[in-house]
Amino acid sequence: MVRKIDTVTVEVVRNLLMSIAEETYGIIVRSAYSTNMKERRDVCTAVIDPDGNSVAQVESLAALLGSMLSVVPNIYEKFGRENVKPGDMFIANDPYHGGGNHLPDVVIAAPAFAGDKLVGWIANIAHHSDIGGKVPGSTSGDADSIFQEGLRIPVIRIREGGQLLDSVMDLLLDNTRVPQEREGDLTAQMSANLIGVQRIQEAYARYGDVLIGCMDELVTYSERRVRAVVSTLPDGEYCYTDYVDGCGDKYPDPLPIQVKVTIAGDDLTVDFTGTASQIKAPINVPYPCTKAAVFFSVKALMGDDIPANEGINRAIRIIAPKGCIVNPTEPSPIGAQIDCQQRIPDAIFGALASVFPDRVVTAGNGACTTTILAGDGAIGTDSVFIFHEVIAGGSGASLRYDGLSGVQVNMTNTSNMPIEATEMEFTKILARRYELMEDTGGPGELRGGLGIQRELEVLQDDVLYTGLGDRHRFHPWGLAGGKEGASGAFYRVSAADGSIAKMGHKTTSLPLRKGDVIRVITPGAGGYGSPKRRPAEKVLQDVMEKKVSIQAAREEYGVVIRSDGGHLEIDWPATQELR
Amino acid sequence: MSYMIGVDVGGTFTDFSVFNQETGELFHYKDSSTPADPSQAIVKGIQDVLKIKQASPEEVTYLAHGTTVGTNALIEKKGVRLGLITTKGFKDLMEIGTQRRPSLYNLRAQKPYPLIPSGLNRTVTERIRYDGSIETPLDEEETRQVVRELKEQGVDAIAVCTLFSFMNPIHELRIEEIIREEFPGAYVTLSSKLAPEFREYSRMSTTVMNSYLGPVMEQYVNHFRTSIEEIGIRVEPYVTQSNGSIISIKETIDCPIKTALSGPSAGVIAAAFIGKQCDADKIITFDMGGTSADISLIENYTPQVSNEREVEGYPARIPMINIITIGAGGGSIARIDDGGALKVGPKSAGASPGPACYMRGGEEPCVTDANIVLGKLNQKKILGGRMDVDIELARRAIQERICDHSGLDLKRAANGIITVVNSNMVRAIRSVSVEKGYDVREFSLMAFGGAGPLHACEVAQELGMREVLIPPHPGTLCSLGLLLADTKFDLSRTKVMRGAPENLEAINEQFAQMVEQGTALLDKEGVPAERRSFTFFVDMRYQRQNFEISIPVASGTLTPETLDRALASFHAEHKRSYGYCKEEAEVQFVSYRVSTVGIIDKPNLLPVPLQPEAAPPQAIEVRQVLFQGQEDYVETPVYQRESFVPGQSIPGPCICEQMDTTLVVPGGWTIYVDGYHNLKIHNDEVI
């Protein structure tokens, strides 16, 4: 492959472009209004080349990559490249018309011009807490079309000639339950882009067309890196089928995610033929999100240091039949797509477990367990509050390591809401418990990570609860003799009579009474290798840390632990007998 | 005579800066460190210095030292066995952390090493709400039982961090009393005393690290104090903290975490001092050594302080000079990766085997090897002639590891290594300047450390900076900084309220309480009243934001007028940082900070007369040097720093060698030697 720019300059420019992406990311996180952005950091930013290829993006979370990879080509397709002018800024959220993920994720992109020459783009995407639709927080567990999921924004201008288009802003703010928060967040996103545009212009002033040549080379470089790894792998077809729990009462049956990964020379194909058909429930994965999930899986396996850009995509061929759940057609609902998207890396890892024995991890919590609480109560000039959080779980074990407990896996990596930040802002919510959940990590020589139990009490009547999750039925699988991890579950503890009711994994807008407690348990992760081979001392340590119960130590690991007035020790003879 | 002594303990060397208060002489001394017991090298060094100066121990009137004992205990996991007491229902906050996995794509990345042994994270029944009200009272019997169990488990220290203790510390205080009753020997840290600010995970991790280090630090400083007493030193020694100030032994024992990032902070204090000598009020400091580079920003002679940083994977919520450390130093290794890209660092060859040219068996090419091949470093002996190097080994390493895998010839490969490592530095400098809304071109780059001056001019050029400053002894800036520090306590409180006139009384009440607290601390340090100063800050944000900007306010008694001025500063600072502001929007006051300073006597250094007409320095050799952006080597004079006379100008290109560093000046730059022997290097052609 002939390179236009020398390797040294490319490295220098890569540093510069990452610095620009990170600066704009910092602006959004530090100045945004909604907890999704400021605390949970559900934000991604990227520098994009003049042809629309993503070149440098921050490694915040992978779920938002889809938009970054597709937004500028979508703008070109709709408006024509020649009609993009200095001072323009574009906004979108509808994956069927130029956006990328689900409707709460709003992407805003701005072209950078040097004179009248387009020299690059800066784009960011962030999760907004409410964009209208049938439920507060927009994401329901039971929407049957995208029209119920909020305001659809096809790719349109939000700034033109350097001026905000007030009528567009007015339309947006009129379609959310929390307009003050929306305005603050959109301002942060646009301001970050204005700074980003300026930085790209400065970079062009410094490097001229070499800058654009380097962008091109960076994309080629990533493609080369992926192909270099693929070419070392044994040719063949590798298959795996994993399952999504279903979706609510209407779709109680498991939904297969079937992948066939074909390796031939340095070509890599991921084929989803055989995967479930799209459904009229909100877990359809728009195609850009499917691309993002494949992108994530390939980068994690082929080389975590490969620069995240369009080049990785170029090294991959994806086959996803139109109308299947990972390439749905309009107007299929998509609000909770991530619960299904999370299963794509699980399936790809399952398929390639034999190819990357030292890199693949067992199935982790594989969900994006979400709690939304909404009710009356002023915050600032908004008259209702919408609390939205995602709770982590276990991550997969592997050949050399136990899984991690209480972490985000696969496509998401957002922070938790600090309890003190939550209660200071949402004064009608009280956290009762936030701990790891014993025995949720799949037993194995290397133990799967543990899920979390989180209990929130509501302190007023008529708070609406929405709980979205997955792997409540299909447990996270283990490898090489390791056992599966525990599933997740949602419970409501009623203040009225103390009764505990199990709820579905797609609970939507359930009214709560004052004093009710929502108890969320997130899935653990599968184990790796036979639990009987786990050193007894490690099992003892697990028991001391309340990760494994004394009972499970005996039954799953064959390790007998005696408790003598609080002091724990291994009963070696009894253990030897069981092992 | 009376002497002030500053001692900086590094991994390899212990540096001494000694100032004679009567003659005004400043003297530097260096000896090997003694890592097993760092105080050995200090005591021996002080004795050596006193011998050289023919002085007696009683003549030492001031002694300050920077210690890495805390830092090393965290890095090497050699803290004590400790227990944690927190609110029931929340035992795993330390393990869960932010719930983010350590790396998005690296599936094998691990969480930080757990500081609390298995099962010693304990809980007690209690709950305080967001407004400080008691939701569930503390179960004292249960607490007593938990303390007894921790005692039985053999812990040396206990960290106490309960929810919302920063709003109301009553439960933490009661838990402390119970610990004192049940387990008087335990070292205890309360989160409400150490870091009374919101966000439970970072407050807890700071508290846990403090207890983890407490007894280790206590043992070290007590031993240190005894050792210097034994040689007859009469003054109470000071210890540096991460905010660049010095504190007493007593305070060090209470808050060891405050020393954990103190290593590079004294150097920044010295840089601010040198900046004053040079009339440079905007400085980027660039301290580059063998394995890493430390970068910070100084504005108006004041280093920037940040309130939270990660230490060994854990957040530490303590005020510290905002220093960015990157893995780029002379020992950073260059390689060509699978995709054909040239990468440098963060892996380092360290001191052993070190760069290939060290002749210690290193085969990987390092930044130092590239500098030797390019003629920037002496090609036979470095470190002032103390160490032999072999240029052939450097050439071979670059040839075999870079050229043979990339198609670059030797000189392009060597120059490329420097370009790439400089670009890492440029990225770090951008992150403290451009990314914070500062125009880096208005700043001077002050370079120190063994390798800083080697790279400074070319890094400055890349950033469009016009001035580079080099202090007289770039290798000993940290020990000099120890002679320049004040005693300082950064106090803070959190209480969210509208930044409006109706809250003035409540705001001023926060300040008044902290002034009282600060006064008590300065009393304990024995600072006389006329040497105290208090500065006041409010952390502000627009209502609904969660990240605050710290804004200085005129005094601890705000009036409607000074309040308006503070709000105007906030809007302006928000615009500078984020590119916009909303003057009509409501501003929230979140945290209140008081910097309580006890001013310590400092060396008064006087300039020497300028001699612009003195004979120009004589080159000790002429070397072929290849600079950045050039195709070919050029003949370049090499000078010795000692031969530079104040008032002289020396044009680039040139190389200037001195014992502790080598300065590289490309063409277009001119050195000017000022009356303090600082080098001010200018380039008016930089765009």
Side-chain angles (χ1 to χ4, degrees):
Chain A
M1 209 171 290
V2 183
R3 279 178 238 151
K4 284 174 271 180
I5 317 280
D6 71 278
T7 171
V8 174
T9 309
V10 172
E11 182 66 9
V12 172
V13 169
R14 187 186 68 80
N15 265 325
L16 180 61
L17 298 178
M18 280 309 293
S19 159
I20 295 171
E22 280 165 10
E23 179 180 4
T24 59
Y25 175 78
I27 289 172
I28 298 172
V29 167
R30 290 196 307 272
S31 76
Y33 278 26
S34 68
T35 48
N36 283 318
M37 300 180 201
K38 65 195 183 187
E39 290 287 350
R40 298 183 43 246
R41 306 180 175 212
D42 203 343
V43 176
C44 188
T45 60
V47 178
I48 294 169
D49 76 11
D51 292 335
N53 301 305
S54 149
V55 179
Q57 56 201 29
V58 296
E59 298 201 348
S60 52
L61 61 169
L64 300 179
L65 292 174
S67 300
M68 293 306 182
L69 298 173
S70 59
V71 61
V72 174
N74 290 334
I75 292 167
Y76 287 160
E77 192 185 333
K78 177 164 173 180
F79 295 96
R81 181 169 171 169
E82 66 286 2
N83 296 316
V84 173
K85 301 289 180 214
D88 278 351
M89 222 183 269
F90 297 85
I91 186 170
N93 76 341
D94 182 352
Y96 296 118
H97 294 279
N101 302 339
H102 60 165
L103 301 182
D105 289 338
V106 177
V107 61
I108 303 185
F113 282 84
D116 56 3
K117 183 181 166 85
L118 179 62
V119 296
W121 290 77
I122 185 85
N124 63 66
I125 182 165
H127 185 138
H128 290 251
S129 70
D130 183 89
I131 194 81
K134 72 189 280 264
V135 299
S138 308
T139 305
S140 72
D142 63 357
D144 59 19
S145 92
I146 192 171
F147 293 103
Q148 296 176 315
E149 298 186 310
L151 179 69
R152 300 175 65 184
I153 313 168
V155 63
I156 54 172
R157 282 189 181 82
I158 187 164
R159 290 173 69 95
E160 190 165 24
Q163 294 298 314
L164 178 69
L165 298 175
D166 291 323
S167 40
V168 173
M169 193 61 144
D170 287 349
L171 179 69
L172 297 181
L173 298 185
D174 213 29
N175 277 282
T176 173
R177 295 169 175 85
V178 279
Q180 187 198 22
E181 187 184 85
R182 263 326 48 72
E183 205 254 332
D185 289 345
L186 291 169
T187 304
Q189 283 185 272
M190 287 187 284
S191 302
N193 274 352
L194 290 175
I195 302 260
V197 165
Q198 194 186 326
R199 296 286 179 259
I200 295 172
Q201 288 167 338
E202 288 163 8
Y204 186 79
R206 173 79 178 76
Y207 291 98
D209 286 340
V210 169
L211 176 75
I212 295 166
C214 286
M215 290 178 169
D216 194 37
E217 169 56 23
L218 278 167
V219 172
T220 317
Y221 166 80
S222 287
E223 179 179 358
R224 222 164 40 228
R225 287 280 307 272
V226 175
R227 288 191 182 277
V229 178
V230 174
S231 67
T232 65
L233 304 175
D235 283 2
E237 293 182 348
Y238 305 89
C239 302
Y240 198 86
T241 304
D242 203 341
Y243 294 88
V244 177
D245 285 349
C247 193
D249 299 338
K250 247 169 46 186
Y251 296 92
D253 296 331
L255 302 162
I257 303 291
Q258 186 171 330
V259 297
K260 181 174 81 184
V261 180
T262 306
I263 291 165
D266 67 356
D267 288 327
L268 179 73
T269 305
V270 179
D271 183 352
F272 289 93
T273 305
T275 291
S277 298
Q278 66 189 37
I279 59 176
K280 286 192 173 182
I283 57 168
N284 299 292
V285 184
Y287 185 64
C289 298
T290 299
K291 266 170 79 176
V294 175
F295 179 108
F296 165 79
S297 312
V298 168
K299 180 160 147 69
L301 292 177
M302 309 283 168
D304 54 76
D305 63 332
I306 300 174
N309 65 39
E310 177 65 26
I312 293 179
N313 256 355
R314 286 192 191 161
I316 312 165
R317 188 168 157 245
I318 299 175
I319 301 169
K322 196 91 186 148
C324 83
I325 203 166
V326 296
N327 188 6
T329 55
E330 194 175 349
S332 299
I334 52 175
Q337 63 88 15
I338 191 160
D339 280 334
C340 186
Q341 187 193 24
Q342 287 283 60
R343 202 62 64 254
I344 295 174
D346 286 349
I348 294 174
F349 292 167
L352 293 177
S354 64
V355 180
F356 290 104
D358 58 337
R359 289 195 188 175
V360 157
V361 295
T362 62
N365 84 75
C368 184
T369 306
T370 302
T371 299
I372 300 171
L373 293 168
D376 291 338
I379 301 184
T381 57
D382 292 336
S383 60
V384 297
F385 71 84
I386 300 168
F387 168 78
H388 174 279
E389 68 172 4
V390 172
I391 308 166
S395 80
S398 59
L399 184 62
R400 289 189 186 82
Y401 299 104
D402 285 347
L404 306 179
S405 297
V407 290
Q408 301 277 30
V409 302
N410 295 356
M411 303 308 292
T412 185
N413 202 19
T414 53
S415 299
N416 50 13
M417 275 290 288
I419 292 153
E420 291 171 348
T422 302
E423 295 185 9
M424 283 163 74
E425 184 161 358
F426 302 95
T427 57
K428 298 300 179 190
I429 296 174
L430 184 71
R432 288 290 180 197
R433 184 191 291 275
Y434 182 44
E435 288 182 333
L436 300 178
M437 180 78 184
E438 196 171 58
D439 289 336
T440 50
E445 181 178 359
L446 288 308
R447 180 182 37 68
L450 273 66
I452 283 177
Q453 47 177 340
R454 184 154 168 122
E455 294 175 7
L456 298 179
E457 179 176 340
V458 297
L459 304 177
Q460 73 180 29
D461 286 339
D462 300 323
V463 173
L464 298 179
Y465 165 70
T466 295
L468 308 170
D470 199 73
R471 285 219 184 275
H472 283 201
R473 256 174 92 184
F474 287 87
H475 294 227
W477 40 264
L479 280 171
K483 297 205 179 172
E484 61 187 27
S487 61
F490 298 152
Y491 298 93
R492 172 195 188 176
V493 185
S494 164
D497 55 7
S499 63
I500 301 174
K502 190 164 193 282
M503 299 180 291
H505 68 277
K506 294 282 184 286
T507 298
T508 302
S509 287
L510 177 77
L512 301 178
R513 305 292 297 171
K514 182 178 175 182
D516 284 358
V517 172
I518 292 299
R519 178 155 193 250
V520 176
I521 294 168
T522 62
Y528 191 102
S530 164
K532 296 275 160 58
R533 291 168 58 97
R534 185 169 179 80
E537 294 83 357
K538 277 196 150 182
V539 177
L540 173 65
Q541 192 182 341
D542 286 341
V543 171
M544 289 165 72
E545 293 176 4
K546 297 192 165 56
K547 290 189 168 129
V548 171
S549 64
I550 288 183
Q551 186 187 357
R554 176 196 292 265
E555 288 170 7
E556 299 288 355
Y557 292 92
V559 175
V560 180
I561 290 173
R562 306 230 167 273
S563 170
D564 176 17
H567 178 72
L568 300 167
E569 61 183 12
I570 301 168
D571 181 337
W572 286 103
T575 297
Q576 253 141 26
E577 216 162 280
L578 286 180
R579 293 193 137 193
Chain B
M1 295 288 166
S2 62
Y3 293 93
M4 299 176 70
I5 302 181
V7 188
D8 180 60
V9 182
T12 321
F13 291 107
T14 299
D15 291 319
F16 300 80
S17 285
V18 183
F19 180 69
N20 183 326
Q21 287 179 294
E22 279 144 61
T23 63
E25 183 208 14
L26 183 62
F27 168 74
H28 297 286
Y29 183 76
K30 189 188 259 306
D31 204 351
S32 294
S33 291
T34 47
D37 173 10
S39 62
Q40 273 182 21
I42 304 177
V43 168
K44 178 172 174 293
I46 292 173
Q47 285 177 311
D48 291 349
V49 165
L50 292 175
K51 206 186 239 169
I52 294 167
K53 294 288 150 194
Q54 296 184 318
S56 73
E58 300 86 54
E59 290 174 273
V60 177
T61 53
Y62 171 97
L63 174 61
H65 91 303
T67 173
T68 51
V69 167
T71 320
N72 291 345
L74 277 171
I75 294 171
E76 294 163 15
K77 317 302 173 213
K78 288 186 176 157
V80 299
R81 186 171 166 83
L82 85 161
L84 167 72
I85 300 180
T86 186
T87 308
K88 188 166 203 165
F90 302 91
K91 72 174 163 58
D92 297 313
L93 290 178
M94 280 298 285
E95 177 160 358
I96 297 170
T98 63
Q99 86 172 13
R100 301 187 70 175
R101 62 186 184 276
S103 164
L104 183 60
Y105 293 104
N106 179 355
L107 305 175
R108 289 154 293 172
Q110 297 297 298
K111 286 194 179 190
Y113 176 89
L115 301 177
I116 303 169
S118 301
L120 300 188
N121 47 331
R122 309 302 294 271
T123 62
V124 293
T125 305
E126 69 84 40
R127 185 69 148 86
I128 308 267
R129 289 204 62 202
Y130 72 95
D131 55 0
S133 61
I134 296 174
E135 202 266 341
T136 306
L138 177 69
D139 183 333
E140 300 202 359
E141 256 329 291
E142 184 188 24
T143 306
R144 214 168 277 284
Q145 190 52 39
V146 164
V147 173
R148 284 184 196 139
E149 283 166 21
L150 288 175
K151 188 179 178 188
E152 275 164 29
Q153 289 285 336
V155 304
D156 297 308
I158 298 178
V160 183
C161 179
T162 60
L163 290 179
F164 290 104
S165 64
F166 67 94
M167 286 300 297
N168 182 354
I170 186 166
H171 288 168
E172 285 196 0
L173 290 169
R174 184 62 193 133
I175 293 169
E176 184 184 31
E177 281 172 10
I178 292 171
I179 297 171
R180 296 281 173 240
E181 287 160 25
E182 296 293 331
F183 188 6
Y187 179 95
V188 181
T189 308
L190 300 190
S191 81
S192 52
K193 280 189 185 163
L194 182 69
E197 295 181 47
F198 87 114
R199 288 196 180 94
E200 63 279 0
Y201 170 55
S202 52
R203 190 172 74 252
M204 179 179 284
S205 98
T206 312
T207 309
V208 165
M209 283 191 281
N210 197 67
S211 265
Y212 183 69
L213 297 178
V216 175
M217 189 60 91
E218 186 169 16
Q219 196 191 1
Y220 168 72
V221 289
N222 283 337
H223 170 64
F224 173 68
R225 175 157 52 187
T226 316
S227 309
I228 61 159
E229 270 168 16
E230 279 168 4
I231 61 166
I233 305 272
R234 300 239 176 102
V235 287
E236 267 282 293
Y238 290 103
V239 178
T240 349
Q241 32 175 8
S242 314
N243 68 359
S245 73
I246 47 173
I247 47 176
S248 65
I249 295 267
K250 158 86 179 70
E251 184 66 18
T252 309
I253 293 170
D254 287 346
C255 304
I257 186 66
K258 288 185 180 171
T259 70
L261 288 167
S262 63
S265 69
V268 178
I269 296 295
F273 174 82
I274 304 249
K276 238 175 211 168
Q277 290 181 338
C278 298
D279 279 325
D281 63 349
K282 291 182 173 180
I283 290 174
I284 306 279
T285 67
F286 170 42
D287 175 2
M288 183 176 174
T291 55
S292 63
D294 293 321
I295 284 149
S296 74
L297 183 144
I298 299 176
E299 198 185 17
N300 294 325
Y301 313 112
T302 312
Q304 291 209 321
V305 172
S306 69
N307 292 310
E308 183 168 320
R309 185 168 158 191
E310 256 186 27
V311 188
E312 291 298 296
Y314 289 105
R317 197 146 180 90
I318 51 163
M320 57 194 92
I321 293 185
N322 191 15
I323 296 171
I324 293 209
T325 300
I326 56 168
S332 295
I333 295 169
R335 65 193 168 93
I336 298 287
D337 74 10
D338 301 343
L342 175 61
K343 302 274 180 184
V344 181
K347 205 175 148 220
S348 166
S352 181
C357 64
Y358 280 16
M359 303 184 284
R360 289 178 186 160
E363 292 182 352
E364 293 178 292
C366 298
V367 171
T368 298
D369 292 313
N371 276 319
I372 284 183
V373 168
L374 296 170
K376 290 173 167 175
L377 271 176
N378 194 303
Q379 292 165 332
K380 297 186 186 77
K381 284 174 184 297
I382 57 170
L383 289 178
R386 283 184 301 181
M387 187 161 151
D388 292 329
V389 290
D390 184 344
I391 187 175
E392 278 315 312
L393 292 178
R395 283 196 184 120
R396 194 201 298 165
I398 296 173
Q399 180 66 44
E400 288 177 358
R401 300 295 174 104
I402 306 295
C403 303
D404 294 355
H405 298 271
S406 65
L408 294 169
D409 63 21
L410 184 68
K411 64 184 188 184
R412 276 168 201 258
N415 228 1
I417 291 170
I418 303 303
T419 309
V420 170
V421 78
N422 284 358
S423 87
N424 292 336
M425 243 82 78
V426 165
R427 184 167 167 193
I429 292 174
R430 285 178 61 90
S431 74
V432 300
S433 58
V434 179
E435 294 183 19
K436 299 276 152 62
Y438 292 100
D439 186 345
V440 73
R441 293 167 300 186
E442 296 169 1
F443 284 73
S444 304
L445 187 66
M446 186 178 298
F448 49 100
L454 260 174
H455 294 258
C457 288
E458 289 172 340
V459 167
Q461 214 155 285
E462 188 64 29
L463 285 158
M465 300 170 80
R466 293 183 177 80
E467 184 175 67
V468 170
L469 302 173
I470 310 285
H473 301 281
T476 55
L477 222 56
C478 280
S479 54
L480 174 64
L482 289 164
L483 298 179
L484 303 166
D486 289 314
T487 294
K488 184 169 154 196
F489 296 98
D490 291 309
L491 308 172
S492 66
R493 302 263 167 125
T494 294
K495 185 166 189 189
V496 182
M497 50 190 145
R498 233 181 114 204
E502 71 264 21
N503 289 325
L504 278 174
E505 200 177 319
I507 293 162
N508 290 335
E509 173 60 23
Q510 297 289 326
F511 283 135
Q513 287 174 13
M514 281 186 282
V515 168
E516 197 177 312
Q517 189 188 347
T519 305
L521 285 164
L522 292 180
D523 285 346
K524 266 204 276 184
E525 299 280 314
V527 177
E530 70 277 10
R531 292 185 155 245
R532 298 179 180 191
S533 92
F534 296 87
T535 42
F536 301 86
F537 304 84
V538 181
D539 293 1
M540 307 183 198
R541 65 187 186 200
Y542 290 119
Q543 186 189 33
R544 321 264 337 231
Q545 292 181 329
N546 261 30
F547 287 85
E548 301 83 38
I549 302 178
S550 217
I551 300 292
V553 297
S555 75
T557 324
L558 284 182
T559 62
E561 292 72 42
T562 51
L563 175 70
D564 277 349
R565 271 206 298 262
L567 291 172
S569 315
F570 169 72
H571 295 305
E573 190 59 25
H574 196 282
K575 177 140 178 66
R576 199 184 58 69
S577 298
Y578 307 134
Y580 71 103
C581 64
K582 297 180 165 185
E583 285 174 12
E584 70 297 346
E586 184 178 319
V587 177
Q588 277 183 336
F589 286 14
V590 179
S591 294
Y592 311 84
R593 299 179 189 280
V594 175
S595 266
T596 307
V597 177
I599 298 156
I600 308 276
D601 274 326
K602 292 177 195 58
N604 180 23
L605 295 179
L606 298 173
V608 299
L610 301 179
Q611 296 172 264
E613 307 306 327
Q618 292 297 307
I620 50 167
E621 65 168 310
V622 172
R623 202 150 67 210
Q624 297 290 325
V625 179
L626 180 56
F627 293 93
Q628 285 288 287
Q630 304 289 317
E631 293 293 317
D632 288 303
Y633 285 83
V634 292
E635 290 201 339
T636 306
V638 180
Y639 302 108
Q640 283 194 301
R641 177 85 180 253
E642 296 77 40
S643 65
F644 287 1
V645 178
Q648 270 182 338
S649 290
I650 301 106
C654 69
I655 304 281
C656 168
E657 294 182 346
Q658 65 187 98
M659 198 272 278
D660 47 4
T661 190
T662 299
L663 168 67
V664 172
V665 182
W669 293 78
T670 305
I671 304 174
Y672 172 77
V673 189
D674 81 0
Y676 299 97
H677 294 280
N678 296 311
L679 305 184
K680 298 169 144 177
I681 312 167
H682 280 270
N683 184 350
D684 296 326
E685 294 163 20
V686 169
I687 39 138

